[in-house]
């Protein structure tokens, strides 16, 4: 199975005053196309830092990081933006929907960044909204729908561009148990349909739903059985 | 690449900027007010200055253009000057005969005695009017157009018949609103009967001659019993344009000799008057530019301030946009367009006010307001300039946002 993500000795440290504070100590990690993985770890373990690097929002200070076989460490800012726009879909814990845009407009935004023609955008948005059970909520503003619907909209926004990878950061962190179950069912379905998913969580119950699991602790990561 | 292409390049950031502007319409409108005031005041004052200049040019031509020189009697301003002025007889009708003989380069002479405003009373109507007694040459030298009756001839005028040429307003008042009907009417001027033999052709509602009453100087001298009356002004026309440059000095020298060395007259050309008027308009324009400049600067500072505040309040949104694939340059354009739209809102309203004079019918205002397409383009350019200047800093900050930091808020 070809790798969507691959890291080799990935390191990250932050400058604090005159000192470098290491956060990631050389992570080797590989996620194949169509896999559903979860990275678990407590607060301060470095999982958010890893997610930011894997999502091309931040740069590693050492090691290699490849997305679909391309070494992104050498990418310019605009190349990283392009990679995020085309290949990576994000679902955030706090949804991060733009408050002045309707759910449909939020979902349409990544397609606009890609310069996709309006007709095609509308078709894809309608399709994904319907697929995620938001067909009747397209004209609503984020503040007008429930937390579960907001997360669905955020997932729809991540998937509408058909990314190589869906990256979810604590996607159920702000949801009640019923809605959490719904969202996890949705991830399972998306995985069964062939999507590659990597979620980051500190909840064991969420992680166990994934096909592969890794544990990160003190900047080191290992795969769990 | 994301953020490029026509949609990502211009339409998308413009559309997002428009949503943001519309979402805070009241704030945007208030911020745009200073730009509106700056652009509107600049355009209105430009239109006004142009109109005044145009009217002054028209007036200049009606006063005989470059070839007419005006001599105005002055009054003593202090006791010393008073004593000096006593040596002279002042500007008199008899001066004209001497000047005509000694200065052959002049071919037209218009002596005038002005009664001033409000000193004329007409039979059957109390009319405020400006009385002038002058010779027939006044019509020719100053190119004054008159609707006449058969009574109005040079011979009758110069013989001192009791004739009147009145302005359109005066004519209207003495003939129930129909100026033409005033011709032939007999009126009392200063208690003496006189016949309306002509009506000045009006150049518009605000033509200064509308309120004038002109009588023959010969009649005035007879009635006054003074064959050599003191003149208020004397207008002299230079025969050849080439002689205009020296003519005022020659005229002044001759008058000094006639008045025993007393400088009791002002000699000015119409060019001097036009130049003075231009200076006044230029000063007015400069003040307007300063006021408009301060207004536009305030507008720019206001937009910058709101832009920075708006940026702080939606750092998370912009960070999310970056995470979703928005390029730095797209965010730069989006935030810059927000400033441009606010400035455009103010500038657009200012342009609309600037265009409004075109809707005012001619003659409603003392001046015709004139505005060209270049002026409107200038207003538009200023608005855009304000938008760009005030939007650059917030746009640059937005483009430099670190998505990770920004999403933390």
């Amino acid at each position: 199975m070809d790798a969507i993500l691959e890291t080799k000795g990935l390191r990250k440290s932050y400058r604090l005053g005159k000192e470098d504070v290491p956060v990631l100590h050389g992570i080797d990690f590989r996620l194949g196309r169509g896999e559903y993985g979860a990275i678990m770890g407590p607060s301060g373990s470095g999982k958010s830092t890893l997610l930011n690097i894997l999502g091309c929002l931040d740069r590693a200070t050492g090691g290699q990081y490849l997305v679909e076989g391309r070494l992104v460490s050498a990418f310019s800012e605009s190349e990283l933006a392009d990679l995020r726009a085309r290949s990576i879909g994000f679902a955030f814990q706090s949804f991060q929907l733009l408050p002045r845009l309707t759910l449909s407009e939020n979902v349409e935004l990544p397609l606009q960044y890609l310069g996709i023609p309006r007709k095609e955008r509308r078709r894809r948005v309608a399709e994904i909204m319907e697929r995620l059970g938001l067909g009747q909520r397209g004209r609503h503003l984020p503040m007008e729908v429930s937390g579960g619907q907001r997360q669905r909209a955020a997932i729809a926004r991540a998937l509408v561009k058909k990314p190589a990878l869906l990256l979810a950061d604590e996607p159920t962190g702000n949801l009640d148990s019923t809605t959490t179950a719904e969202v996890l069912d949705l991830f399972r379905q998306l995985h069964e349909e062939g999507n590659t998913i990597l979620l980051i969580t500190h909840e064991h119950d969420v992680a166990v739903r994934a096909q592969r699991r890794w544990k990160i602790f003190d900047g080191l990561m290992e795969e769990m059985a | 690449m994301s953020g490029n292409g026509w949609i990502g390049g211009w339409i998308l950031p413009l559309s997002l900027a428009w949503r943001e502007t519309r979402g805070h319409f009241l704030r945007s409108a208030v911020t745009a007010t200073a730009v509106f005031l700056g652009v509107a005041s600049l355009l209105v004052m430009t239109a006004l200055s142009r109109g005044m200049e145009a009217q002054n040019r028209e007036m200049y031509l009606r006063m005989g253009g470059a070839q007419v020189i005006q001599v105005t009697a002055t009054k003593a301003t202090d006791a010393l000057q008073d004593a000096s002025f006593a040596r002279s007889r002042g500007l008199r009708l008899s001066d004209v005969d001497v000047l005509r003989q000694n200065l052959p380069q002049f071919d037209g002479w218009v002596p005038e005695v002005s009664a001033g405003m409000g000193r004329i009373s007409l039979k059957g109507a109390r009319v405020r009017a400006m009385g002038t007694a002058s010779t027939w040459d006044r019509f020719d030298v100053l190119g004054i157009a008159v609707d006449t009756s058969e009574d109005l001839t040079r011979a009758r005028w110069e013989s001192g018949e009791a004739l009147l040429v009145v302005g359109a307003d005066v004519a209207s008042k003495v003939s129930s609103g129909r100026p033409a009907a005033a011709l032939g009417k007999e009126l009392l001027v200063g208690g003496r009967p006189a016949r309306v033999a002509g009506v000045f052709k009006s150049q518009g509602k605000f033509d200064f001659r509308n309120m004038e009453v002109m009588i023959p100087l010969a009649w005035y001298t007879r009635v006054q019993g003074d064959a050599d009356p003191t003149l208020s002004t004397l207008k002299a026309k230079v025969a050849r344009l080439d002689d205009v440059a020296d003519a005022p000095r020659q005229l002044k020298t001759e008058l000094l000799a006639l008045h025993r060395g007393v400088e009791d007259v002002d000699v000015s050309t119409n060019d001097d008057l036009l130049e003075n008027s231009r200076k006044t308009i230029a000063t007015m324009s400069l003040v307007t530019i300063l006021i408009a400049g301060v207004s536009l600067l305030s507008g720019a500072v206001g937009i910058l301030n709101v832009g920075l505040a708006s940026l702080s309040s939606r750092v998370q949104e912009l960070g999310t946009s970056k995470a979703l694939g928005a390029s730095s340059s797209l965010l730069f354009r989006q935030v810059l367009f927000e400033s441009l739209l606010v400035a455009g809102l103010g500038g657009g309203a200012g342009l609309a006010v600037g265009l409004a004079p075109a809707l005012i019918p001619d003659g409603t205002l003392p001046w015709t307001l004139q505005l060209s397409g270049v002026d409107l383009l200038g207003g538009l350019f200023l608005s855009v300039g304000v938008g760009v200047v005030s939007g650059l800093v917030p746009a640059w900050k937005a483009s430099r946002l670190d998505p990770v930091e920004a999403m933390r808020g």
Side-chain angles (χ1 to χ4, degrees):
Chain A
M1 188 181 289
D2 62 329
I4 292 287
L5 303 182
E6 189 169 7
T7 68
K8 294 174 183 171
L10 193 77
R11 289 187 306 280
K12 175 72 179 179
S13 56
Y14 290 106
R15 192 90 182 157
L16 200 66
K18 289 181 179 175
E19 281 184 45
D20 279 334
V21 179
V23 179
L24 301 177
H25 298 277
I27 288 180
D28 295 313
F29 162 74
R30 188 175 187 280
L31 185 71
R33 190 177 298 278
E35 286 187 318
Y36 177 11
I39 298 174
M40 262 187 76
S43 292
S45 58
K47 63 180 188 302
S48 291
T49 302
L50 179 61
L51 174 95
N52 290 336
I53 293 171
L54 297 180
C56 298
L57 296 170
D58 200 358
R59 289 176 186 276
T61 45
Q64 288 187 336
Y65 174 41
L66 296 96
V67 176
E68 295 184 296
R70 290 183 297 167
L71 186 64
V72 300
S73 318
F75 275 23
S76 68
E77 282 301 320
S78 64
E79 284 171 328
L80 285 177
D82 192 46
L83 185 64
R84 287 195 298 270
R86 290 182 192 286
S87 304
I88 302 170
F90 285 99
F92 303 100
Q93 179 179 358
S94 49
F95 324 129
Q96 305 281 25
L97 296 169
L98 303 193
R100 265 180 292 286
L101 302 189
T102 63
L103 295 189
S104 285
E105 288 167 343
N106 265 287
V107 174
E108 190 182 354
L109 201 56
L111 301 180
Q112 289 185 298
Y113 291 148
L114 287 169
I116 291 170
R118 184 189 179 95
K119 198 173 170 186
E120 174 64 9
R121 292 200 310 261
R122 293 290 156 91
R123 189 190 66 73
R124 282 210 218 171
V125 169
E127 187 181 283
I128 195 74
M129 296 282 281
E130 198 61 43
R131 164 78 186 78
L132 296 190
L134 293 168
Q136 305 300 313
R137 293 281 180 263
R139 289 175 181 272
H140 287 76
L141 291 171
M143 57 158 51
E144 296 168 347
V145 299
S146 69
Q149 286 167 330
R150 284 184 217 176
Q151 190 57 289
R152 282 171 183 273
I155 293 168
R157 182 179 64 181
L159 290 174
V160 71
K161 60 191 177 187
K162 298 185 169 64
L165 171 69
L166 170 61
L167 208 50
D169 181 14
E170 303 276 10
T172 57
N174 281 351
L175 303 177
D176 59 37
S177 57
T178 310
T179 317
T180 294
E182 280 177 25
V183 169
L184 291 177
D185 282 345
L186 178 61
F187 279 136
R188 182 181 50 76
Q189 286 172 31
L190 292 170
H191 173 230
E192 286 168 4
E193 287 168 11
N195 290 290
T196 308
I197 303 168
L198 179 64
L199 61 87
I200 288 192
T201 180
H202 67 276
E203 294 174 86
H204 183 262
D205 294 349
V206 172
V208 293
R209 305 283 291 266
Q211 177 191 16
R212 296 177 67 191
R213 292 172 293 281
W214 290 266
K215 188 176 181 182
I216 185 167
F217 191 78
D218 282 348
L220 291 167
M221 194 162 86
E222 62 179 30
E223 186 160 6
M224 298 161 72
Chain B
M1 183 172 284
S2 63
N4 283 346
W6 181 241
I7 291 176
W10 299 105
I11 296 177
L12 177 59
L14 187 58
S15 138
L16 292 170
W18 170 240
R19 282 172 194 279
E20 183 63 24
T21 308
R22 196 182 56 183
H24 297 97
F25 188 77
L26 185 62
R27 184 184 75 185
S28 304
V30 170
T31 313
T33 305
V35 181
F36 159 71
L37 288 174
V39 172
S41 62
L42 199 64
L43 289 180
V44 168
M45 288 308 290
T46 301
L48 197 60
S49 310
R50 289 262 167 75
M52 287 170 78
E53 268 187 17
Q55 201 202 22
N56 284 344
R57 274 195 301 276
E58 189 188 313
M59 181 82 78
Y60 168 82
L61 294 174
R62 289 180 66 195
M63 287 168 71
Q67 283 169 270
V68 170
I69 290 165
Q70 185 159 286
V71 181
T72 312
T74 58
K75 289 181 178 167
T77 54
D78 54 47
L80 192 65
Q81 215 177 35
D82 204 25
S84 160
F85 273 38
R87 295 206 315 268
S88 165
R89 296 184 313 122
L91 187 62
R92 296 279 179 154
L93 184 58
S94 55
D95 290 347
V96 179
D97 295 330
V98 180
L99 293 170
R100 189 176 274 131
Q101 266 193 339
N102 294 352
L103 298 172
Q105 61 270 47
F106 289 87
D107 66 351
W109 298 92
V110 181
E112 291 175 335
V113 177
S114 296
M117 199 71 179
R119 290 168 63 182
I120 300 292
S121 58
L122 299 170
K123 181 188 178 184
R126 295 179 62 79
V127 179
R128 273 178 62 78
M130 186 173 62
T132 306
S134 190
T135 56
W136 179 268
D137 285 344
R138 186 168 189 254
F139 297 115
D140 298 335
V141 170
L142 303 185
I144 298 171
V146 178
D147 287 323
T148 63
S149 67
E150 288 175 1
D151 292 341
L152 192 64
T153 63
R154 175 185 280 272
R156 285 183 161 173
W157 191 269
E158 297 296 9
S159 70
E161 274 192 38
L163 299 175
L164 301 171
V165 176
V166 299
D169 285 356
V170 177
S172 286
K173 288 204 172 162
V174 300
S175 59
S176 310
R178 293 179 300 116
L183 287 174
K185 283 207 170 194
E186 193 164 276
L187 308 172
L188 285 181
V189 179
R192 293 168 193 278
R195 198 167 56 257
V196 177
V199 177
F200 292 120
K201 280 191 174 157
S202 176
Q203 302 291 319
K205 192 174 170 183
F206 297 94
D207 186 348
F208 66 93
R209 288 218 169 91
N210 288 350
M211 298 184 77
E212 187 175 328
V213 172
M214 181 176 160
I215 61 171
L217 187 59
W219 182 48
Y220 174 82
T221 54
R222 199 173 66 231
V223 168
Q224 294 292 314
D226 180 2
D228 189 19
T230 300
L231 303 179
S232 311
T233 52
L234 170 64
K235 293 185 174 89
K237 187 177 175 218
V238 185
R240 293 181 337 117
L241 205 55
D242 291 347
D243 294 332
V244 168
D246 288 334
R249 186 184 49 76
Q250 292 164 344
L251 194 53
K252 193 155 192 172
T253 306
E254 201 65 36
L255 280 163
L256 262 178
L258 276 169
H259 295 182
R260 299 179 181 179
V262 179
E263 279 195 63
D264 54 0
V265 291
D266 271 340
V267 178
S268 60
T269 63
N270 283 338
D271 282 351
D272 293 337
L273 297 176
L274 193 65
E275 188 55 32
N276 286 340
S277 159
R278 275 190 187 138
K279 279 180 185 166
T280 307
I281 293 169
T283 307
M284 196 172 77
S285 300
L286 188 67
V287 171
T288 306
I289 286 169
L290 281 173
I291 292 170
V294 168
S295 225
L296 289 172
L297 190 65
S298 310
V301 171
I303 294 173
L304 172 63
N305 188 31
V306 167
L308 290 173
S310 163
L311 191 65
S312 302
S313 69
R314 57 195 176 104
V315 159
Q316 265 188 316
E317 279 179 45
L318 294 168
T320 304
S321 299
K322 267 201 158 176
L324 296 178
S327 63
S328 296
S329 68
L330 188 140
L331 291 185
F332 181 91
R333 274 168 275 152
Q334 179 186 333
V335 175
L336 186 64
F337 279 145
E338 287 169 18
S339 295
L340 274 171
L341 283 172
V342 174
L345 189 71
L351 286 176
V353 170
L355 278 171
L359 305 173
I360 299 172
D362 279 350
T364 308
L365 297 173
W367 300 282
T368 307
L369 301 179
Q370 293 183 352
L371 210 55
S372 67
V374 175
D375 299 323
L376 293 174
L377 275 178
L380 190 66
F381 179 78
L382 275 175
S383 313
V384 170
V386 166
V388 169
V389 167
S390 55
L392 280 175
V393 173
W396 183 78
K397 284 176 78 103
S399 73
R400 303 292 297 170
L401 281 176
D402 172 7
V404 175
E405 291 296 322
M407 278 195 292
R408 280 187 196 134

